Amino acid sequence: MSAFRIAIVGYGKIAGDEHRPAIDRNGDFELAAIVTKGTAPEGIPVFSDLSGLFKDGPEVDCVALCVPTAARFALAAEALDAGKHVLLEKPPAARLEEVDTLRQKAAAKGLSLFAAWHSRFAPGVATARDLLSDARIRSVRLTWKEDVRRWHPDQSWIFEPESLGVFDMGINGLSLASAVLPGSFAVQGARLAYPENRRVPVTAELDIAMEGCDAFTAAFDWNHEGADDKALEVETDRGMLLLDRSGERLAFNGALLLDRRQREYEAVYGRFAALIGSGEGDIDAIPLRHVEEAFSTAVRKTTEPFFC
């Protein structure tokens, strides 16, 4: 079978650092085009918009949407209407109703739509899920902290309301937690800090409810200094599980079980190829629902200006 011809739409830091290498290493895909208004690598056809690609560009079978969140819905709808399979970077859209619309459109056209929650493909996730599958969860602490200046340099869109603010990265932690924990959960309260010169929160503290769990909290921070602090700590009736470094390292009761460099996006594209081949979709919106719960239950405070 010939490779799926794919176009990357939106060529920023993550597309260059993660998507392009993962596509190049996956024999099921051939990078046929790039759609961007910015700089793109040489040797690949470049278009300024999707309509230009579909009208004048090489034939493509699928697209990977790596654009800012606010633009994702319209571009995904355009690609589906053109008969293309779609991979959505996280979060898949700005609102749940947009995800539902895209799901229905893809199903009606028999196309694969994939919400690529890349943190769920971290090396320690599957083993952690197995360890917790029949455990009684006593408490959970989710921490997801990074320096936005390092991950989103010179990207003003990240501070627009539909980008979700600190939840643009915190949603990765929520996606990992929902994949690992044996029960469903819901955000029941949130405290969000909005700098006076920003329209989105840069820190968030969440109170979360899960049946049988005595305490479940989460803390997200975009103003974190030093190395990223991204960890899920779970106290169970059999001991303590720690899944940290974004899921690269797993320990149980202090014993290190796994410590492996992430290759999340290779697994993401492996999953996308399998979905296209089987004619299926994978459009889980649970982490986005948790973000909407956080905003709907939030106590908002204003803080000093945030400079980036």
Side-chain angles (χ1 to χ4, degrees):
M1 183 180 69
S2 59
F4 301 118
R5 296 159 297 185
I6 189 168
I8 295 177
V9 184
Y11 202 85
K13 178 176 173 56
I14 299 301
D17 290 352
E18 302 291 350
H19 287 264
R20 170 73 188 278
I23 290 170
D24 289 345
R25 288 191 289 261
N26 189 317
D28 289 325
F29 291 98
E30 172 193 349
L31 182 57
I34 291 174
V35 177
T36 185
K37 297 185 185 303
T39 302
E42 296 182 358
I44 299 169
V46 178
F47 299 85
S48 61
D49 53 41
L50 264 185
S51 59
L53 168 64
F54 295 153
K55 179 182 177 182
D56 300 320
E59 183 66 29
V60 298
D61 306 299
C62 47
V63 300
L65 293 183
C66 306
V67 294
T69 310
R72 237 163 252 166
F73 172 73
L75 291 173
E78 182 179 357
L80 292 170
D81 285 339
K84 314 303 179 184
H85 308 286
V86 175
L87 181 152
L88 296 164
E89 248 292 2
K90 60 80 198 167
R95 291 177 292 275
L96 281 172
E97 57 263 33
E98 293 178 344
V99 177
D100 289 337
T101 299
L102 294 175
R103 181 190 291 113
Q104 294 169 18
K105 185 182 288 287
K109 292 180 172 293
L111 296 168
S112 296
L113 180 67
F114 179 31
W117 299 109
H118 62 84
S119 290
R120 291 180 172 178
F121 293 91
V125 167
T127 303
R129 181 170 55 241
D130 291 343
L131 286 170
L132 297 176
S133 62
D134 59 353
R136 191 244 169 184
I137 308 300
R138 291 176 174 165
S139 68
V140 179
R141 174 67 174 171
L142 175 64
T143 304
W144 223 258
K145 301 180 179 183
E146 69 182 28
D147 185 350
V148 69
R149 302 166 185 85
R150 181 166 72 90
W151 285 101
H152 294 282
D154 302 318
Q155 294 181 349
S156 60
W157 65 265
I158 203 72
F159 293 103
E160 294 300 316
E162 289 192 324
S163 77
L164 308 181
V166 73
F167 290 104
D168 181 82
M169 66 93 178
I171 203 169
N172 286 329
L174 293 168
S175 74
L176 183 145
S178 62
V180 166
L181 295 171
S184 60
F185 57 84
V187 178
Q188 294 198 321
R191 293 166 296 284
L192 308 181
Y194 287 73
E196 61 185 37
N197 64 335
R198 298 298 184 186
R199 303 168 66 192
V200 295
V202 297
T203 68
E205 297 177 347
L206 310 183
D207 299 316
I208 300 172
M210 185 171 72
E211 185 176 359
C213 181
D214 299 327
F216 190 158
T217 59
F220 306 145
D221 187 356
W222 249 351
N223 200 28
H224 180 70
E225 296 182 0
D228 293 351
D229 180 9
K230 298 177 179 179
L232 180 70
E233 301 170 83
V234 185
E235 181 188 5
T236 79
D237 57 344
R238 298 199 301 272
M240 180 68 71
L241 180 143
L242 173 62
L243 183 62
D244 68 348
R245 280 206 338 240
S246 304
E248 286 186 340
R249 185 166 56 191
L250 174 65
F252 192 71
N253 287 332
L256 184 64
L257 303 183
L258 182 147
D259 188 352
R260 188 190 315 155
R261 180 180 176 274
Q262 298 206 44
R263 302 300 287 269
E264 293 174 354
Y265 281 85
E266 290 191 13
V268 163
Y269 278 93
R271 174 67 172 156
F272 191 33
L275 290 170
I276 296 173
S278 65
E280 298 176 326
D282 183 353
I283 187 67
D284 178 18
I286 288 174
L288 184 58
R289 187 187 73 205
H290 294 323
V291 172
E292 291 200 354
E293 291 167 349
F295 278 113
S296 68
T297 61
V299 174
R300 172 174 172 166
K301 66 177 181 178
T302 302
T303 63
E304 295 298 317
F306 186 89
F307 297 100
C308 178

